[in-house]
């Protein structure tokens, strides 16, 4: 089977990680001849591309995962650049796999043109699913339909794949997010307060571990450097090295960390895949949604909490005290995620008739 995989390329290390997970699963569950890539962020699925590339050269189109149900400024209210009336021109089966509803509450949800376009996509797709971070509930508020929620493909970066350890010292990974700061923090003043609170936590951690900051997008580098500044036993990833042809090496840092503090969805998801404990720094409904879905809400902290550094240090103490029990709980979680994914692919295979 020749598969065309379209997802978000050239911006976010987390998207590359989920891309690894998607491909791992396709190779595990389908008879793959080849997998081609195209960037969902910018690739226009026009009539020529559909007829001369998609329909002629491939047997299956896979869209996702990633938080692609987002962006009122996008022509279709989400990332897929295809005119609504051209969706029917795709003659091979296509699936939308484990995508995320990423609108913030304050954005008011998907615009009407997006609802129409997504409805047509759902009607034409052989299979349409969202990731298990509460996206199904948020989408149901707009569509009044039940959409299957499946494990984010980032949970499967470990399938038939091993990652070398690059840092010999025991280390903690801190993954901070700084794009869309007005959404994440509320204001620049609150962002500055967040930096001050995280510096306190980082100073404490650096006495016991090496602390490595893991920016996923270019905007994250500045925030990471601000928090790390002046604190010994810390470093910030060389983002230019990892982005993006060495994203697999970035994944390896999550695999071998003692634990992770994460402000992004895939900063939560990827370490969980390796049974690496995570404290989620909630700044979007999806962060809390994921931890709630997995029964890990005790390790979720809103970044808008008063006394953030105090609360975070309490959560870190709790994590360290329950470290091995928590890793055992993650093993149980991952076993269920694998079963749920296998069931999803059973359904996909029945829908695409293989």
């Amino acid at each position: 089977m020749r598969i065309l995989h379209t997802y978000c390329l050239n911006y976010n290390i987390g998207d590359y990680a989920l891309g690894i997970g998607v491909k791992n699963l396709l190779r595990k569950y389908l008879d793959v001849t080849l997998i081609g890539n195209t960037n969902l962020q910018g690739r226009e699925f026009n009539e020529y591309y559909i007829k001369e590339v998609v329909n002629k050269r491939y047997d299956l189109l896979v869209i996702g995962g990633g938080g692609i149900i987002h962006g009122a400024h996008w022509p279709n209210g989400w990332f897929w650049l295809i005119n609504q009336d051209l969706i029917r021109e795709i003659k091979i089966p296509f699936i939308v796999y484990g995508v995320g509803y990423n609108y913030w509450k304050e954005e008011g949800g998907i615009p009407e043109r997006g609802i129409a376009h997504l409805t047509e996509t759902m009607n034409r797709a052989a299979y349409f699913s969202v990731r298990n971070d509460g996206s199904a509930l948020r989408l149901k508020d707009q569509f009044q339909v039940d959409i299957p929620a499946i494990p984010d493909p980032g949970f499967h970066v470990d399938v038939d794949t091993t990652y070398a350890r690059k840092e010999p010292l025991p280390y903690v990974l801190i993954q901070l997010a700084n794009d869309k700061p007005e959404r994440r923090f509320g204001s620049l003043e609150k962002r500055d307060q967040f930096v001050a609170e995280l510096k306190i936590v980082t100073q404490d951690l650096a006495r016991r571990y090496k602390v490595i900051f893991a920016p996923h997008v270019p905007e994250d580098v500045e925030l990471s450097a601000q928090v790390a500044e002046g604190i010994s036993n810390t470093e910030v990833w060389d983002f230019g090295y990892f982005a993006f042809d060495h994203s697999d090496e970035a994944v390896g840092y999550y695999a071998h960390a003692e634990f992770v503090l994460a402000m992004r969805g895939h900063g939560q998801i990827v370490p969980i895949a390796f049974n690496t404990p995570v404290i989620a720094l909630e700044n979007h409904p999806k962060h809390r949604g994921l931890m709630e879905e997995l029964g890990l809400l005790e390790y979720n902290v809103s970044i808008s909490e008063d006394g953030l550094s105090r609360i975070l240090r309490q959560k870190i103490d709790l994590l360290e005290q329950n470290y091995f029990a928590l890793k055992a709980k993650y093993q149980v979680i991952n076993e269920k995620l694998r079963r749920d994914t296998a069931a999803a692919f059973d359904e996909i295979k029945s829908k695409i008739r293989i």
Side-chain angles (χ1 to χ4, degrees), residues 204-248:
D204 186 46
L205 285 171
R207 297 186 185 102
R208 311 193 301 282
Y209 309 97
K210 184 171 184 177
V211 179
I212 300 175
F213 289 84
H216 278 206
V217 307
E219 292 90 339
D220 298 349
V221 177
E222 178 188 1
L223 181 62
S224 298
Q226 282 184 296
V227 174
E229 185 179 9
I231 304 175
S232 61
N233 205 27
T234 68
E235 71 172 66
V236 179
W237 269 354
D238 179 355
F239 180 78
Y241 172 79
F242 291 112
F244 289 99
D245 51 327
H246 294 153
S247 293
D248 58 328

Side-chain angles (χ1 to χ4, degrees), residues 53-175:
V53 178
V54 177
N55 290 343
K56 284 187 177 180
R57 298 186 181 183
Y58 294 96
D59 306 305
L60 176 68
L61 171 63
V62 178
I63 302 168
I68 64 175
I69 303 177
H70 189 215
H73 61 287
W74 285 79
N76 300 318
W78 68 305
F79 284 17
W80 197 20
L81 294 174
I82 182 171
N83 289 338
Q84 187 172 318
D85 59 357
L86 285 178
I87 298 175
R88 65 172 65 93
E89 298 300 324
I90 298 175
K91 303 305 181 185
I92 62 171
F94 74 89
I95 67 172
V96 179
Y97 190 85
V99 299
Y101 180 107
N102 260 23
Y103 278 90
W104 269 273
K105 291 179 181 178
E106 299 82 357
E107 293 179 286
I110 308 168
E112 287 300 320
R113 69 183 188 284
I115 292 175
H117 194 280
L118 277 161
T119 299
E120 179 68 5
T121 302
M122 292 173 187
N123 290 339
R124 297 281 177 181
Y127 181 81
F128 189 106
S129 61
V130 294
R131 62 191 183 192
N132 58 336
D133 63 352
S135 284
L137 292 174
R138 295 193 293 278
L139 204 57
K140 187 172 184 178
D141 286 342
Q142 300 230 313
F143 286 85
Q144 291 76 52
V145 293
D146 291 312
I147 306 297
I150 64 170
D152 185 287
F155 285 115
H156 303 294
V157 291
D158 63 322
V159 173
D160 298 325
T161 310
T162 58
Y163 299 89
R165 180 169 187 144
K166 300 293 185 178
E167 172 55 60
L169 296 174
Y171 65 92
V172 170
L173 216 59
I174 299 182
Q175 186 278 303

